[in-house]
Amino acid sequence: MRLWIGLSLPRLPLEVFSPSWCTDAGSVVLEQERVLAASPVARAAGVQPGMRRGGVLMLMPEAQVHERSPPREAEALYAVAMAMLQYTPQVTEAEEGTLLMDVGASLRLFGGVRALCRRVRENVRALGFSASLGCAPTARGAWLLARAGSGSTDGRTMRYRRTVKMPTLVRRLDLLEVLLAPPARPYAAWFEGIGCASFGELRRLPRPGLQRRCGRALLDLVDAAYGLSPELHEWIAAPETFAARLELFDRIDDAELLLAGARRLLLQLTGWLCARQLAVERIVLRLEHERGREARAPTSVEVALAEPAWRDEHLVRLLKERLAKLVLEAPVIGLGLEAKQLQPMAPPNESLFPEPGGTEEDRMRMLELLVARLGAENVLQALPMADYRPEQANMWVPVQQKISDRARNAQMPPDVMSLPRPTWLLAKPIALLMRDHRPFYGSPLRMASNPERIEAGWWNGPETRDYFIAEGQDHALYWVYRERIGADEEEPRWYLHGLFG
């Protein structure tokens, strides 16, 4: 199934200066000396889009005013794209701060579209950005749904922006505003004059006249969104080596506060590792201090892993422990992360037990893990005993118990080992009912073998049994025995002792 996720970052110009995980100190972003975006604190003080710098400072003298930085926005969008590579290698950048991801082949791996969207949203929030998601069978459809939800994040809008079937996508696209399409915005007055406000109304207009009036780009976008024409994309490729840097929003002198910024770099590393099919054994987090006249050398925090990893949860946990013990000698103004030792990613092993051909060390490591998790009394090994009685022919002892060579090498006589034995031996034999002088277990049992007499245990209570392979009416095979008839008994007593597979 083809499915796309459109990821829009509507507050990107603001959040490159004031990430969503930092304290809101009243940030404002200007473009051509007019307010482009304002933080919640600044909006509460009365700052509105389009306001001039003087009006902002009059309402909020302590506001942090920034000029819009397209290079920072491009760098942040690339960081988000790198983190998204952990879900699919097919990630591309679209206009207006939006990413498109082809996730059709990833749905089963991540538990379905709802679980995948939830993980994407959580990762983007950890990176420090607010996101609006749209899911659709076409890339342009997902882009339009994501852009349509950029102004609202309530639950109703979230349901509105997700669709996996083309008929549903067509109905929802028909309701979207036509000005969401960038090629339509220069003709906003004309669309308003003819009463065309939605894509559904746009599609009912004559195509030749619409193309002459607005150009071919608008029709191409509509056709791609509705799945009427193919789409070509240029995928974002992971670089050969990984080195990421983050300039912090303020001078930080508490090591624990650096974890949020470090996690952003670790998410990028996770995406890069998944895209390159690599695992990391050692990472180095570089803490950058003041530059210039009071410059100090960066502080390096190295994390070495016992086993190669590529998931951010484990790396974040290890880095958190290291940062908690770190004492900073100077405030930190930037972070850098490098992956030092890499090796090919090992394929996941779904089996608890070692693969065939493994070494004795692999087997012992697996047993040690089981003992550590379950307890020594719950991990047992079989110890054969030289006894003819089935329930006495084997003992179960802890795997860590020392066993003598004599007991370990105890073997049954060859004639016994050649006889048929059940796959499952009951811990305690079950007494069987008798009907018409025949043992009964769900149905009358028919003896399907000659008797095998076992007479042993004379030193601790002799036992004499005649074992048979019995067959039920459903053709299931059972291992049953009858005891020797006593002087005061008229019929022998029958017992079920085992089940054949």
Side-chain angles (χ1 to χ4, degrees):
M1 180 180 67
R2 200 70 183 268
L3 187 68
W4 293 79
I5 292 181
L7 182 62
S8 175
L9 306 176
R11 299 173 61 82
L12 184 63
L14 175 66
E15 289 174 338
V16 295
F17 298 104
S18 178
S20 60
W21 38 260
C22 76
T23 304
D24 186 358
S27 299
V28 178
V29 177
L30 302 180
E31 185 176 31
Q32 297 179 354
E33 291 301 312
R34 291 188 179 273
V35 175
L36 175 67
S39 68
V41 171
R43 291 199 303 269
V47 178
Q48 298 294 329
M51 187 176 293
R52 292 185 178 275
R53 180 191 296 266
V56 173
L57 296 178
M58 181 180 64
L59 294 173
M60 193 177 183
E62 71 279 9
Q64 297 180 356
V65 181
H66 309 275
E67 290 291 337
R68 185 177 186 180
S69 176
R72 276 199 176 192
E73 295 175 26
E75 181 182 351
L77 192 63
Y78 181 76
V80 177
M82 288 295 297
M84 295 300 106
L85 288 176
Q86 63 182 298
Y87 302 116
T88 173
Q90 296 178 325
V91 179
T92 185
E93 182 178 345
E95 59 268 24
E96 299 187 349
T98 305
L99 297 175
L100 293 172
M101 301 181 290
D102 185 357
V103 297
S106 308
L107 296 180
R108 180 175 296 182
L109 177 62
F110 294 101
V113 61
R114 292 178 182 270
L116 180 56
C117 289
R118 183 167 56 251
R119 293 184 59 156
V120 169
R121 181 175 289 276
E122 290 173 355
N123 286 163
V124 176
R125 186 181 300 113
L127 289 168
F129 304 108
S130 303
S132 173
L133 270 66
C135 297
T138 64
R140 275 297 167 184
W143 184 88
L144 288 171
L145 293 178
R147 294 297 300 170
S150 297
S152 176
T153 57
D154 62 353
R156 181 179 60 184
T157 307
M158 283 296 295
R159 290 193 296 271
Y160 181 82
R161 297 199 307 267
R162 182 169 54 238
T163 179
V164 297
K165 298 181 179 180
M166 279 302 303
T168 307
L169 174 63
V170 170
R171 292 195 300 269
R172 293 180 176 175
L173 289 179
D174 284 346
L175 300 176
L176 297 183
E177 295 182 3
V178 69
L179 295 184
L180 284 173
R185 293 170 191 167
Y187 310 97
W190 181 73
F191 281 116
E192 182 180 0
I194 65 173
C196 179
S198 66
F199 279 97
E201 296 169 344
L202 175 69
R203 295 175 64 206
R204 290 193 288 269
L205 296 177
R207 288 178 64 92
L210 185 61
Q211 180 174 346
R212 288 194 301 270
R213 181 73 182 187
C214 302
R216 184 66 194 177
L218 178 59
L219 291 178
D220 290 342
L221 186 148
V222 173
D223 290 343
Y226 284 85
L228 301 177
S229 63
E231 301 177 82
L232 299 178
H233 303 282
E234 183 177 352
W235 308 117
I236 295 176
E240 294 292 332
T241 59
F242 179 84
R245 184 183 177 279
L246 173 64
E247 187 171 348
L248 298 179
F249 55 90
D250 199 358
R251 291 173 172 79
I252 297 179
D253 53 7
D254 187 348
E256 293 186 3
L257 297 179
L258 299 174
L259 185 62
R263 189 181 180 189
R264 169 174 170 174
L265 300 179
L266 289 175
L267 283 171
Q268 298 178 53
L269 174 62
T270 299
W272 181 83
L273 291 173
C274 291
R276 305 290 300 182
Q277 293 293 294
L278 296 173
V280 65
E281 293 180 326
R282 184 166 65 93
I283 60 175
V284 176
L285 180 67
R286 187 176 63 256
L287 311 181
E288 300 178 0
H289 304 294
E290 293 288 349
R291 307 183 185 92
R293 184 176 301 177
E294 300 180 0
R296 297 181 64 93
T299 301
S300 295
V301 179
E302 183 175 329
V303 177
L305 292 85
E307 295 183 357
W310 60 87
R311 294 300 181 193
D312 63 293
E313 296 87 354
H314 184 55
L315 298 174
V316 168
R317 191 180 305 113
L318 294 177
L319 196 57
K320 181 179 180 180
E321 295 294 332
R322 292 297 307 275
L323 291 176
K325 301 177 182 178
L326 182 66
V327 178
L328 294 177
E329 298 180 356
V332 179
I333 62 174
L335 299 174
L337 183 66
E338 296 182 5
K340 290 294 187 180
Q341 294 181 359
L342 302 167
Q343 68 178 32
M345 183 187 297
N349 183 11
E350 300 295 339
S351 174
L352 171 66
F353 301 99
E355 295 294 332
T359 63
E360 180 66 17
E361 289 76 11
D362 294 334
R363 189 181 73 87
M364 294 306 299
R365 191 178 299 113
M366 180 269 295
L367 293 176
E368 290 174 356
L369 178 61
L370 288 176
V371 170
R373 291 183 178 180
L374 306 178
E377 69 280 1
N378 295 318
V379 184
L380 308 177
Q381 61 179 332
L383 177 63
M385 306 296 292
D387 198 304
Y388 284 95
R389 293 169 293 179
E391 65 272 19
Q392 301 294 333
N394 178 64
M395 292 180 59
W396 292 96
V397 297
V399 293
Q400 295 179 331
Q401 177 177 325
K402 299 293 185 179
I403 302 175
S404 64
D405 293 338
R406 179 179 179 184
R408 187 181 297 277
N409 297 325
Q411 297 290 335
M412 297 295 291
D415 58 337
V416 174
M417 300 301 296
S418 63
L419 295 173
R421 287 293 181 265
T423 306
W424 186 268
L425 189 70
L426 301 181
K428 184 178 181 180
I430 299 176
L432 296 176
L433 300 175
M434 299 296 295
R435 294 185 180 179
D436 298 330
H437 306 287
R438 295 174 62 183
F440 184 92
Y441 186 73
S443 64
L445 300 181
R446 180 182 64 85
M447 301 304 115
S449 70
N450 294 324
E452 175 195 346
R453 173 158 291 188
I454 296 179
E455 187 171 358
W458 55 267
W459 55 90
N460 60 354
E463 295 181 0
T464 303
R465 302 172 180 172
D466 291 331
Y467 279 87
F468 297 84
I469 298 177
E471 182 179 2
Q473 290 183 353
D474 58 353
H475 304 291
L477 298 180
Y478 306 94
W479 207 40
V480 301
Y481 70 84
R482 68 183 178 190
E483 291 184 339
R484 178 181 297 176
I485 301 177
D488 56 344
E489 297 178 355
E490 297 181 357
E491 287 188 345
R493 289 177 295 180
W494 288 85
Y495 294 86
L496 174 64
H497 204 178
L499 307 174
F500 288 90

